[in-house]
Amino acid sequence: MLSLFRKDPTKKLQKTYEAKLEKAMLAQRGGDIKTYSLLTEEAEKIRAEIEALQAEQKS
């Protein structure tokens, strides 16, 4: 019953991940490849965290 009121941490990370990817896309369109690379790297780290949390929840 208490699990009904717990917030899913992956949802927050997923929103952060999507925001980073969007910022990266806009940087790429603007010609700023260095920023694009940095934002994409950060997004991939967040994606790895999401996958780790999902694997932990399944087990």
Side-chain angles (χ1 to χ4, degrees), residues 1-58:
M1 182 170 162
L2 293 176
S3 64
L4 283 175
F5 302 109
R6 283 190 207 159
K7 292 188 178 184
D8 187 13
T10 57
K11 286 184 181 181
K12 183 178 179 182
L13 284 174
Q14 184 67 32
K15 285 184 182 183
T16 306
Y17 172 70
E18 291 172 6
K20 289 279 184 190
L21 286 180
E22 186 174 349
K23 286 181 182 179
M25 176 196 64
L26 293 174
Q28 183 182 27
R29 285 185 179 175
D32 191 358
I33 302 302
K34 184 177 181 180
T35 303
Y36 164 75
S37 299
L38 292 173
L39 289 171
T40 303
E41 182 180 358
E42 290 175 13
E44 291 303 314
K45 288 179 184 178
I46 294 170
R47 185 181 57 83
E49 287 180 42
I50 292 170
E51 289 176 355
L53 283 172
Q54 288 174 342
E56 183 180 301
Q57 288 175 352
K58 287 182 181 179

